[in-house]
Amino acid sequence: GSMTARAAPIAVPQPPLAAMHADRRGTLWVATESSLFRLAGLRLEPMPMRGATLGEITEISSDSEGGLWVHDAASGLWRWRHG
């Protein structure tokens, strides 16, 4: 017999992607214009941004302490830390 590998589709959030970033642990972060997601297995989990009103995400990066930096063209730079 033979085996055929099939990848499960990952649902891409709408509107279109604005930015992506892989942190030092290999976690893939994905942003739309106003939402942040983390790739967990084969699905994108929405991340709560308490106190942040995001309007137009343009960039994602991370720091050595595990914090995630999200640049929003409308309201500036936000530091997000899970937990």
Side-chain angles (χ1 to χ4, degrees), residues 2-45:
S2 65
M3 294 179 63
T4 303
R6 298 188 189 268
I10 296 174
V12 177
Q14 298 295 325
L17 301 180
M20 292 188 345
H21 172 73
D23 65 20
R24 63 187 175 115
R25 287 190 246 155
T27 301
L28 181 64
W29 298 90
V30 177
T32 62
E33 286 184 350
S34 60
S35 300
L36 180 65
F37 299 86
R38 175 179 62 190
L39 183 62
L42 293 175
R43 68 192 223 351
L44 290 170
E45 293 181 342

Side-chain angles (χ1 to χ4, degrees), residues 57-69:
I57 296 174
T58 60
E59 190 173 346
I60 307 169
S61 62
S62 55
D63 60 31
S64 61
E65 297 175 2
L68 197 69
W69 292 88

